[in-house]
Amino acid sequence: MTYTQLWRSLTPLYSAGEAQAVARTVLEMQFGLTLTDIVCGKVNELSADKEMSLHKIFVRLRQGEPVQYVLGRAEFCGLEFSVSPAVLIPRPETARLVDLAAARISGPKRMLDVGTGSGCIAISLALRCTAATVEAWDISTDALSVAADNAQRLGARVTFAQRNALNPPADSAVWDVIVSNPPYVAESERKDMEPLVLDHEPQLALFVPDDDALRFYRAISRYAAVALRPGGSLLFEINPRFANDTARLMRDCGFSNVEIIDDDYGKRRFAVGVRN
């Protein structure tokens, strides 16, 4: 099949622009074809084995499986992370959370990532802030396995531990920075989500009850209010729908200089506060 035939076969699921992007991702990441190669028709010159592999990939894509799970990897902060259905696919907007956290880490600071998933936040920070000590928690053993493999492959020094964010340990003044992208999609928002997400990504890492949508933010903020050193920072990725409520909760837990920060798409996506 030509490149045009490939991307057009995906249009029942994607817009034309999205279908082209997915097809290019496959051809670039899996087969090493540059955009110039694609434009020059090199797709038609693949070997029989590669053509069969390409066919199998597009069968899965046409069945609605996200391209990152089909390929087993995703790009984030200029790095390539292994992903599986055990972890959420890293989103480009989350890279801004890494930038915000890195700006608060200088020298031998101690940083914690709560709900690490693929490890993309913790690993990106460990590689960027090489003097820092980085630890990452998740409740899922499968997610921790993916994250540990990513850290080893990328050469990042991160300590991983199985912890329940809703029942954290009784720590006191041990961290300089705590960062988290916890589950924040309310159950009532499920109807507005794409099947690509609903049918494949881990529900445990996505949804919270409508009557307790800030449960993770409350638990982590209460933990951070004690576990952070004075002057330490707490940073969240948040649901824009609950931005004001999240800021109020953080202030109620004793955090000062609480800010809501937009992502690159203009959505109220991050909350940052400082422990007094």
Side-chain angles (χ1 to χ4, degrees), residues 61-272:
L61 291 173
R62 286 193 291 269
Q63 292 172 346
E65 194 171 348
V67 63
Q68 294 88 347
Y69 289 155
V70 173
L71 300 181
R73 54 193 190 272
E75 291 187 2
F76 180 79
C77 284
L79 302 168
E80 189 175 282
F81 288 85
S82 295
V83 294
S84 78
V87 300
L88 289 180
I89 297 166
R91 265 57 175 186
E93 57 266 30
T94 304
R96 176 73 172 131
L97 184 62
V98 173
D99 293 338
L100 292 169
R104 289 161 172 78
I105 302 172
S106 60
K109 298 292 181 70
R110 297 196 69 208
M111 193 219 79
L112 173 66
D113 174 24
V114 181
T116 196
S118 66
C120 62
I121 294 173
I123 291 168
S124 298
L125 285 167
L127 292 174
R128 191 177 302 186
C129 308
T130 54
T133 298
V134 181
E135 185 167 321
W137 297 350
D138 206 286
I139 195 172
S140 166
T141 55
D142 290 338
L144 289 169
S145 177
V146 172
D149 287 346
N150 279 323
Q152 182 177 19
R153 181 173 49 80
L154 292 168
R157 293 183 299 171
V158 180
T159 300
F160 295 97
Q162 187 175 22
R163 295 279 190 275
N164 184 348
L166 298 178
N167 187 27
D171 294 326
S172 177
V174 294
W175 309 107
D176 297 291
V177 173
I178 295 176
V179 60
S180 183
N181 179 14
Y184 62 63
V185 181
E187 281 288 346
S188 59
E189 297 176 290
R190 183 186 290 266
K191 65 183 183 302
D192 300 320
M193 298 183 69
E194 296 180 357
L196 279 168
V197 175
L198 285 175
D199 296 344
H200 297 280
E201 299 200 52
Q203 308 288 291
L204 182 67
L206 283 171
F207 293 105
V208 287
D210 287 300
D211 60 357
D212 195 12
L214 298 181
R215 57 165 49 177
F216 287 97
Y217 296 92
R218 186 180 305 107
I220 296 169
S221 294
R222 288 173 176 172
Y223 170 75
V226 179
L228 278 170
R229 295 184 175 119
S233 298
L234 173 62
L235 302 97
F236 285 124
E237 182 168 326
I238 65 173
N239 186 332
R241 175 181 169 188
F242 303 116
N244 292 337
D245 294 330
T246 304
R248 188 179 306 111
L249 182 155
M250 293 174 70
R251 293 188 186 98
D252 289 346
C253 287
F255 287 88
S256 60
N257 300 325
V258 176
E259 296 180 78
I260 299 297
I261 299 172
D262 290 352
D263 64 17
D264 292 338
Y265 305 98
K267 291 188 177 181
R268 307 176 76 197
R269 183 68 64 185
F270 310 105
V272 179

